[in-house]
Amino acid sequence: MGLVADGIGPARAREQFLRGGSVEGNVRSPILNSWQRSRSLGLSPDGCELPFLQDLDLDGRLVRAAAPVMDRLQSRFEGRNMNVSLADARGAVLQRRFGVASLVRRLAAIQSVPGFVFAEQFGGTNGIGLALAERQLINVYGAEHFAERSQSNACSAIPIRDLLSGRIEGVLCFGYPLTDADVALNSVIRKAARAIERRLLEQSSTRERALLDAYLDARRRAPAGETPDNGQLGELSEGGLDWRDELILKEKAADLISSPQRAAVEVPLPGGRRVTLLSRPVTSPSGVEGVVIEAVFPSPQQRLAVPVEADVSPRPLAPQALTPATPLPGHLPGAVPRRAATTVRRPGTPGTPGAAGSTADRATSGLVLVGEPGVGKYAVAARRRLELLSEASTRIGTTLDVSRTARELAEMAVPRLADFVTIDLPEAVLRGEEPTDPRTGLYRTVVHGIREDCPFYPAGGQVDLRSSTPQLRCLASGQPVLEPDLRTATGWIAQDPGHAQDLLDHNVHSLIAVPLLARGIALGVASFYRSRDPAPFGDDDRSLAQELTTRAAICIDNARRYTREHTMVLALQRSLLPHSFPELNAVEVAYRYMPAESGVGGDWFDVIPLSSARVALVVGDVVGHGLHAAATMGRLRTAARNFAELDLGPDEVLTHLDNLVGRLDRDEGGEERSAGGTGIIGATCLYAIYDPTSQKCVMARAGHLPPALVGPDGTVTFPDLPAGPPLGLGGLPFETAEFHLPEGSQLVLYTDGLLADRHRDFDTALEQLRRAVAHPNRPPEETCEAVLQSVVPNHPADDIALLVARTHALDPHRIATWDLPADPALVSGIRAAVTHQLATWGLDEVAFSTELLLSELVTNAIRYGTGPIQVRLLYDRTLTCEVSDTSSTAPHLRHAATTDEGGRGLFLVAQLTQAWGTRYTPNGKVIWAECALEVSAGKPETFEICFDAIPAIE
């Protein structure tokens, strides 16, 4: 009974513990913690001597409140071996009742005589002592008792609290033989404790009524002229106050009741009115000392001038915090209800004989609150805690960042709840994953406090905590752990005695460890420490910390799940974006991609090598955010590459992309729209082709922002490109524009996230971009960095794609061109000219294959095309051979049968080159082929296999 594991019993676990062995996991944590505290206090199982007190308050308010309840319990347990005891907050037994009267004679004195103190520091692990230490219902069975004498007994004990202050006033304890243990007793003892607490509350109400009666009686007996209103005492409403005014006055009155000195405070009200509150001490006939708060309303002809002795500036009070003539609502979950000082609305004696002045000249007054200073103090504290929770609901969770949300929790708690807060989260939570075991892999995420010199473990490092620490105990149980006095917290000290002593030397003396629970999952632990206030944390502080942490845990869990999804989408998007570009002589490129803070969009960019040393530069943006936008971006980027492989112009590529988006919208968006969604809304795109042989750039855009063109002299222009509709609208053509880009120019392509910022207008952002890129001699990498530093918004709301390309021109000496008519007799001359040119370039090793290649291409152009014919060689990273004519007929590769005399020419071209294709021009077509300048080892054998079957081409 009372065990966590089945392999070891309580007696054996206790023996093992006393011998110095480890019993963690085999004993309930409250029992083990109590055993450890008992050992640290120097107690021995056979030497737990209990002190005896004579100064017992046997007629105090606790005994009076408990008397009827104790009588009912004695009647209920009549005939059973039940020992019912009532102890005070020190653990001293005040009363005992027995189910069997003869037990009084048979039991030892410590079990039958009031006055013995069962606090844990004297008696070790026992019901009364452990209930005071753990501040909750406790069951102790047999060998779980620390003292030898209690091994055959069992007990259940529960604290009794003052419902006004929340303080523990005493303990109710049931003692019985171990064989009579019954979980149903827990329900009985809870109901009995609640009944005693309600009777304590009734006593407080009686005390307040006695204070009111004493005050009214004193006013009736006061000589004329000694009261500010000459004896008039009316309703607050008689002063012309509405409910908002009354709320403000009641809040100020609660502050005054908690103040120890007499005070008069002038309170400003909405509308320019001012009311004076008087704090008057009063004592009831029974000796109860309290405070009465009276509101004085000056007449138009007269204003009361009273020196202000104590001023607590009033603050607006939320309507739900304190309502007229009602208890203070909104008490914390798990805490006892709080009641404010009694609101009084009772008219007094009208007028006093002999009062001077007319009625119109007299000031009137009304009662606001009456109560004891302690009651006012606790009402103020409860109200401020409600304000803290209300503020926390708006200040915690402002972002979807796990670490930032945790820090917001710490900032809310310091200094109104704690002086220092540390928050430890598993590494998995920081990555956005769900932790498998929150007690392992904890990282110190937040350290925040009233000063920076307190030696807590620093943020950013891993913390390896023992199972005996309050932090891991709360994670194991799922409940907050309160350590009122860290000097006796053996589990906390055992983690690192030296470090613990350093904290104690900095006056850190009390701790609340609270698990961050959301959806039943522990996401980490928050630790609240107190140092300035000498009073330790109490149950109300624990309840407030739990409520505050619960709200933060929900926000942290939301941020964690968002982080996980954001990471997945971002990983998908990055996998779909280019990781590197091939080295090109035409342009020198640099790029940057920045995801939005709150989501991942569909921005993309690309650099696509084209035939004849040309290059395509692409940048686009899919409308929307999230997984769908990233997936659509991947489709469009892949499609753009495929269309680029067809050597299409920018306008044709955009037309194909427009059709693709339209088909995706029809195929996939229809179902989403029928379910209430919007499907694929569209995308924007800018497509540019730069030719280093002519230094011309042809562009077209589909709803995208125009690029920035930076000339070699630093001039920045934003060319007036035909806008074109966004992709997906369909039905409208796209237009191209051609620009000459001198060598050393820079072409800057970007998405709208670079300029979009709600804190600046578009023209300002465009001017910032202009200044950032106006440095033509700067490498593209440095240009990207300059744009990020000066143009990117502080908190980007959209993705940003940036592509900077500096242009280069192909040396004219590396370009060779021949024009010839459609005459087969000229083919041999072209072959000779090409061989000579290759020798001039030092490319003799590719001369033979190039001769064969050009012979086939020129022969096909003469046979199937129309003149004139042009042959061009481009010597770049590869050797490109071009043959152009005015025909639009394109050749097609096919497999020739063994009996065919022709049809193997293009097969030869494919074997001799690394790539070949057809590019259409306004005047015809160009057949191009690229030859690698490093000939592969397998090519000569291939040539020999096919050569015998090739017919003569001259």
Side-chain angles (χ1 to χ4, degrees):
M1 185 178 299
L3 295 179
V4 175
D6 297 331
I8 182 172
R12 289 185 56 192
R14 181 172 173 275
E15 291 175 3
Q16 187 172 332
F17 171 80
L18 295 175
R19 290 196 302 267
S22 174
V23 294
E24 293 181 1
N26 294 317
V27 180
R28 291 184 294 138
S29 57
I31 301 299
L32 179 57
N33 296 336
S34 180
W35 286 358
Q36 292 172 341
R37 289 192 295 265
S38 300
R39 288 292 295 270
S40 67
L41 292 170
L43 300 178
S44 62
D46 56 354
C48 295
E49 299 296 334
L50 304 182
F52 183 80
L53 299 181
Q54 299 285 351
D55 59 335
L56 300 178
D57 189 2
L58 298 179
D59 193 31
R61 56 193 298 262
L62 176 61
V63 175
R64 294 197 305 273
V69 180
M70 297 288 283
D71 291 341
R72 289 197 298 270
L73 289 174
Q74 183 175 12
S75 175
R76 179 188 181 98
F77 295 127
E78 185 176 0
R80 297 180 57 180
N81 290 332
M82 182 67 68
N83 184 341
V84 181
S85 57
L86 176 70
D88 61 17
R90 300 171 298 177
V93 175
L94 302 176
Q95 265 195 14
R96 286 190 180 273
R97 301 293 180 89
F98 301 95
V100 178
S102 60
L103 286 177
V104 180
R105 298 187 296 273
R106 302 203 315 257
L107 294 176
I110 63 170
Q111 294 179 292
S112 58
V113 178
F116 286 97
V117 180
F118 283 82
E120 191 180 60
Q121 62 264 36
F122 304 116
T125 307
N126 68 88
I128 294 175
L130 195 52
L132 289 173
E134 295 289 330
R135 311 174 76 84
Q136 61 183 339
L137 174 63
I138 287 295
N139 296 299
V140 183
Y141 304 105
E144 291 182 337
H145 288 86
F146 189 77
E148 295 281 1
R149 61 173 172 266
S150 303
Q151 298 298 293
S152 61
N153 298 328
C155 60
S156 302
I158 188 171
I160 298 173
R161 290 178 172 84
D162 185 331
L163 297 183
L164 285 174
S165 66
R167 292 190 305 251
I168 292 179
E169 295 290 330
V171 176
L172 180 64
C173 181
F174 294 170
Y176 42 87
L178 183 58
T179 55
D180 291 350
D182 186 355
V183 293
L185 289 175
N186 287 343
S187 177
V188 176
I189 198 170
R190 281 195 182 97
K191 292 179 180 179
R194 298 293 86 82
I196 297 174
E197 289 171 350
R198 286 194 298 270
R199 290 182 57 82
L200 284 172
L201 183 61
E202 292 173 0
Q203 289 184 9
S204 297
S205 300
T206 302
R207 292 157 68 95
E208 290 174 358
R209 285 195 295 270
L211 289 173
L212 174 62
D213 292 338
Y215 172 68
L216 296 176
D217 184 63
R219 285 185 62 91
R220 284 191 292 268
R221 291 186 284 103
E226 289 191 6
T227 56
D229 58 350
N230 294 328
Q232 288 186 346
L233 184 64
E235 299 272 2
L236 287 180
S237 57
E238 293 180 6
L241 304 181
D242 61 16
W243 66 272
R244 299 177 185 83
D245 299 330
E246 293 185 13
L247 286 178
I248 295 175
L249 292 180
K250 286 179 172 61
E251 179 193 22
K252 172 61 72 174
D255 285 334
L256 291 179
I257 289 179
S258 64
S259 302
Q261 70 269 29
R262 177 189 177 109
V265 178
E266 193 173 52
V267 182
L269 298 177
R273 301 188 58 193
R274 307 183 76 85
V275 174
T276 301
L277 292 183
L278 297 179
S279 172
R280 299 180 181 276
V282 62
T283 304
S284 71
S286 62
V288 177
E289 295 182 354
V291 178
V292 173
I293 306 300
E294 185 179 311
V296 179
F297 313 99
S299 65
Q301 295 84 10
Q302 174 183 351
R303 186 185 180 103
L304 182 64
V306 182
V308 177
E309 299 179 13
D311 186 9
V312 184
S313 300
R315 292 173 294 175
L317 182 64
Q320 71 273 19
L322 185 65
T323 54
T326 61
L328 187 68
H331 57 274
L332 304 178
V336 296
R338 293 296 183 83
R339 193 166 66 86
T342 301
T343 302
V344 181
R345 289 192 171 192
R346 178 186 294 185
T349 306
T352 303
S358 66
T359 303
D361 294 335
R362 295 173 184 169
T364 60
S365 65
L367 273 180
V368 183
L369 290 178
V370 59
E372 298 176 69
V375 176
K377 172 184 176 182
Y378 295 117
V380 171
R383 185 197 70 230
R384 290 174 179 168
R385 292 180 182 190
L386 287 173
E387 293 174 350
L388 176 62
L389 291 176
S390 176
E391 187 177 350
S393 63
T394 59
R395 289 185 52 188
I396 297 178
T398 59
T399 67
L400 288 172
D401 180 81
V402 172
S403 298
R404 179 58 196 162
T405 304
R407 184 161 190 86
E408 288 171 346
L409 167 61
E411 291 172 348
M412 279 302 307
V414 175
R416 285 186 280 182
L417 172 59
D419 298 316
F420 299 96
V421 175
T422 64
I423 299 177
D424 304 323
L425 301 177
E427 185 181 11
V429 172
L430 297 174
R431 294 195 306 264
E433 302 171 4
E434 194 170 284
T436 54
D437 185 357
R439 295 171 294 180
T440 60
L442 287 172
Y443 277 80
R444 179 59 50 87
T445 306
V446 174
V447 177
H448 183 63
I450 57 175
R451 59 180 189 272
E452 300 294 333
D453 62 342
C454 207
F456 290 98
Y457 294 141
Q462 186 171 359
V463 288
D464 186 13
L465 302 177
R466 293 189 179 186
S467 59
S468 61
T469 58
Q471 288 82 359
L472 288 198
R473 283 159 45 202
C474 80
L475 285 176
S477 64
Q479 297 295 325
V481 173
L482 169 62
E483 290 286 0
D485 189 355
L486 288 177
R487 292 169 298 180
T488 61
T490 55
W492 178 76
I493 295 174
Q495 168 68 25
D496 187 343
H499 180 252
Q501 187 59 50
D502 289 342
L503 291 175
L504 293 174
D505 292 341
H506 282 75
N507 296 323
V508 176
H509 61 83
S510 192
L511 162 67
I512 303 174
V514 187
L516 289 157
L517 294 175
R519 300 181 297 110
I521 301 172
L523 303 176
V525 59
S527 302
F528 302 85
Y529 295 88
R530 178 171 285 179
S531 65
R532 290 184 303 174
D533 190 345
F537 282 126
D539 291 322
D540 289 339
D541 299 310
R542 176 171 58 181
S543 298
L544 177 60
Q546 183 178 17
E547 178 71 15
L548 199 63
T549 304
T550 299
R551 299 187 182 196
I554 296 173
C555 297
I556 290 175
D557 188 51
N558 290 337
R560 177 194 65 80
R561 290 191 286 175
Y562 169 79
T563 301
R564 178 190 61 193
E565 296 176 3
H566 183 267
T567 302
M568 291 171 56
V569 176
L570 186 59
L572 171 64
Q573 187 182 45
R574 291 194 182 279
S575 69
L576 297 174
L577 289 173
H579 300 283
S580 63
F581 295 123
E583 294 185 5
L584 302 170
N585 289 339
V587 291
E588 177 186 353
V589 298
Y591 58 90
R592 294 292 187 275
Y593 170 75
M594 293 181 61
E597 284 191 351
S598 59
V600 175
D603 292 16
W604 93 91
F605 57 92
D606 212 342
V607 177
I608 307 172
L610 300 178
S611 61
S612 305
R614 299 171 308 137
V615 62
L617 305 173
V618 193
V619 65
D621 183 4
V622 175
V623 176
H625 292 82
L627 185 63
H628 187 263
T632 303
M633 176 273 292
R635 288 179 172 183
L636 292 183
R637 176 174 175 259
T638 302
R641 274 191 163 265
N642 293 334
F643 296 142
E645 290 291 331
L646 300 176
D647 260 328
L648 302 176
D651 54 336
E652 294 177 288
V653 170
L654 293 182
T655 299
H656 284 292
L657 291 176
D658 180 51
N659 294 334
L660 174 63
V661 173
R663 286 196 300 272
L664 291 175
D665 195 21
R666 289 191 299 271
D667 296 343
E668 301 180 6
E671 183 177 348
E672 293 186 21
R673 280 190 293 269
S674 64
T678 58
I680 300 174
I681 299 176
T684 65
C685 184
L686 172 65
Y687 193 96
I689 296 178
Y690 173 69
D691 187 346
T693 63
S694 62
Q695 302 179 33
K696 291 182 179 179
C697 184
V698 182
M699 307 180 197
R701 64 186 179 119
H704 204 84
L705 294 174
L709 300 182
V710 185
D713 58 352
T715 303
V716 181
T717 60
F718 296 91
D720 186 15
L721 292 178
L727 301 177
L729 295 183
L732 298 175
F734 298 96
E735 300 181 43
T736 60
E738 184 175 282
F739 302 91
H740 178 73
L741 298 182
E743 185 171 14
S745 301
Q746 286 194 355
L747 186 60
V748 182
L749 290 76
Y750 52 89
T751 56
D752 57 357
L754 180 66
L755 305 180
D757 187 1
R758 61 182 179 180
H759 300 295
R760 65 181 178 187
D761 56 45
F762 182 82
D763 292 337
T764 301
L766 204 63
E767 183 60 31
Q768 291 175 346
L769 177 61
R770 183 193 301 274
R771 291 195 299 266
V773 300
H775 300 275
N777 297 324
R778 189 167 52 193
E781 281 288 343
E782 295 183 11
T783 300
C784 285
E785 287 298 323
V787 171
L788 293 186
Q789 294 177 7
S790 59
V791 186
V792 172
N794 293 330
H795 302 284
D798 195 6
D799 288 20
I800 297 173
L802 175 66
L803 181 63
V804 179
R806 183 161 61 181
T807 64
H808 299 286
L810 186 62
D811 189 343
H813 294 94
R814 289 186 170 229
I815 305 174
T817 306
W818 297 273
D819 295 315
L820 65 156
D823 185 357
L826 300 177
V827 174
S828 59
I830 288 297
R831 292 172 61 178
V834 167
T835 302
H836 176 74
Q837 183 63 56
L838 293 178
T840 303
W841 286 341
L843 301 178
D844 297 296
E845 69 277 5
V846 296
F848 176 71
S849 59
T850 305
E851 283 185 49
L852 293 178
L853 176 65
L854 280 175
S855 294
E856 176 62 27
L857 294 180
V858 172
T859 300
N860 283 343
I862 293 173
R863 181 178 299 177
Y864 303 110
T866 58
I869 298 172
Q870 185 182 75
V871 176
R872 188 170 71 155
L873 293 183
L874 303 177
Y875 177 24
D876 193 34
R877 291 181 179 270
T878 61
L879 179 65
T880 303
C881 305
E882 292 182 351
V883 177
S884 60
D885 61 62
T886 58
S887 170
S888 60
T889 304
H892 298 281
L893 180 65
R894 68 181 180 88
H895 286 280
T898 56
T899 57
D900 291 343
E901 295 184 0
R904 298 176 178 85
L906 290 181
F907 181 70
L908 173 65
V909 171
Q911 294 297 310
L912 293 174
T913 63
Q914 67 178 12
W916 72 279
T918 304
R919 181 172 70 251
Y920 292 94
T921 65
N923 299 320
K925 69 176 183 296
V926 176
I927 308 297
W928 58 268
E930 290 183 0
C931 299
L933 296 182
E934 295 81 17
V935 180
S936 63
K939 290 288 176 131
E941 294 183 4
T942 305
F943 299 159
E944 293 178 4
I945 294 172
C946 302
F947 193 76
D948 291 338
I950 298 176
I953 59 176
E954 293 189 25

